[in-house]
Amino acid sequence: MRLNKYISHNTPYSRREADRLIEEGRVTVNRQPMKDFSYRVQPEDKVAVKGRLVEPRKGGEVTMVVYNKPRGILVTKKDDRGRTTIYHKLPGKFRHFIPVGRLDYASEGLLLLTDNPEVADVLMRSRLPRAYNIKIDKPLSEEMLRAMREGLVLEDAREGGHEASEITRMEFAPFQEVTVRGQSGKYTKLRVTITEGKNRELRRFFGHFGAKVLDLKRVAFGWVELNNLPENKTRYFSRQEYDTLHQYLKEERKNDSH
């Protein structure tokens, strides 16, 4: 796990605050100042912030929560502009939970949260399918469909991205599934399933074709579905969802050991 993520998972500091502390030389790894932002923390490492040892959360237990995120709130611990975050909306008992990936400010739907940093990291890096209901302001073109089937590499993927984002190039894997849910005039409603969770991936993909994503709602992540969970409400994993999770983690650890 990258150093800034390790700090944000195991302390009250956000990832942005962790970056600032690293830059200021206030983070040490094994008693040596560490300014390498890309450093990946190893199990035997001793990480300290401002001289205080960071205690990793217990690795054995895991609690998983499904949250139906409303649009208009941020998936982050703190916002320097004072905007509403998921932690303003979530019950206090989930204040230390880690979001599995992100949904941008204008997006809504299924967001997984966990109290286990290792599980958060594994799920974030996974190629588990993510399903979205989206609405775009253009009819579907053959060019769009071909790119969904075959994948796409964009040297300039800024259209649809956040104006402050430094990401320009992006590679899009073939979509796992595409279903047209309705077409009316210039609008098209789709359910798409992708296997990555890149920064504003779907907005950038359709932005390349001059289409704006008007609505974006995540309705499934892996084997977990949003179903009828009301907006801004949470639920714990079911027993079956936990069983599937533990089986998945077991397989992933086995693969990592080879």
Side-chain angles (χ1 to χ4, degrees):
M1 187 185 298
R2 283 170 69 104
L3 184 58
N4 63 352
K5 190 184 287 188
Y6 180 86
I7 293 169
S8 73
H9 282 184
N10 297 298
T11 73
Y13 297 110
S14 69
R15 209 177 300 185
R16 190 174 296 170
E17 289 170 328
D19 283 338
R20 193 180 70 247
L21 290 163
I22 294 167
E23 192 176 1
E24 292 172 354
R26 305 180 84 177
V27 174
T28 60
V29 178
N30 303 323
R31 299 189 177 181
Q32 299 299 314
M34 174 59 72
K35 288 196 173 186
D36 179 2
F37 289 88
S38 64
Y39 181 79
R40 297 191 77 84
V41 178
Q42 303 304 308
E44 65 276 7
D45 284 340
K46 302 294 183 189
V47 178
V49 176
K50 299 181 182 178
R52 178 174 291 184
L53 191 66
V54 176
E55 294 286 354
R57 300 191 195 279
K58 300 288 185 208
E61 296 297 316
V62 57
T63 304
M64 298 294 304
V65 171
V66 181
Y67 175 50
N68 187 352
K69 173 198 169 303
R71 64 169 66 199
I73 63 172
L74 294 167
V75 182
T76 187
K77 280 193 175 178
K78 291 179 185 173
D79 178 55
D80 52 11
R81 287 159 59 184
R83 290 172 295 177
T84 304
T85 77
I86 57 171
Y87 295 98
H88 291 112
K89 297 287 188 179
L90 287 164
K93 62 185 175 181
F94 299 134
R95 197 164 289 130
H96 66 290
F97 276 53
I98 305 151
V100 175
R102 301 202 172 198
L103 282 171
D104 65 45
Y105 185 78
S107 299
E108 60 186 318
L110 186 151
L111 182 68
L112 299 182
L113 298 117
T114 179
D115 60 352
N116 187 302
E118 180 206 350
V119 172
D121 201 42
V122 169
L123 292 177
M124 267 186 260
R125 290 187 291 107
S126 76
R127 294 187 64 81
L128 288 167
R130 288 97 155 141
Y132 300 84
N133 288 341
I134 62 175
K135 179 182 178 182
I136 61 173
D137 66 349
K138 287 274 194 305
L140 264 189
S141 66
E142 186 52 46
E143 196 182 4
M144 286 184 204
L145 286 166
R146 189 183 312 115
M148 290 183 204
R149 287 193 303 266
E150 299 174 4
L152 183 66
V153 177
L154 294 180
E155 296 303 327
D156 185 352
R158 287 175 295 179
E159 191 66 41
H162 191 276
E163 59 188 21
S165 173
E166 296 177 3
I167 297 169
T168 53
R169 186 183 189 277
M170 189 170 281
E171 192 168 334
F172 303 85
F175 287 28
Q176 192 175 84
E177 195 176 329
V178 179
T179 305
V180 178
R181 299 171 59 240
Q183 283 186 293
S184 171
K186 63 180 182 177
Y187 301 109
T188 308
K189 290 183 177 180
L190 300 162
R191 177 170 172 138
V192 300
T193 302
I194 57 178
T195 56
E196 299 172 311
K198 293 176 179 173
N199 179 279
R200 295 173 74 97
E201 182 174 0
L202 290 169
R203 296 185 190 278
R204 291 174 191 266
F205 178 91
F206 287 102
H208 171 67
F209 299 100
K212 187 175 182 181
V213 174
L214 303 174
D215 297 316
L216 190 153
K217 183 174 187 175
R218 187 191 286 150
V219 292
F221 189 116
W223 57 90
V224 184
E225 297 195 6
L226 187 63
N227 292 329
N228 297 321
L229 183 67
E231 184 180 282
N232 200 40
K233 295 296 183 184
T234 59
R235 69 166 177 85
Y236 291 103
F237 265 26
S238 67
R239 176 45 52 200
Q240 188 173 354
E241 287 168 338
Y242 273 121
D243 289 345
T244 307
L245 173 67
H246 289 305
Q247 186 59 40
Y248 178 78
L249 294 172
K250 188 177 171 184
E251 293 295 325
E252 286 297 294
R253 288 178 189 128
K254 194 189 298 181
N255 293 337
D256 286 345
S257 66
H258 291 328

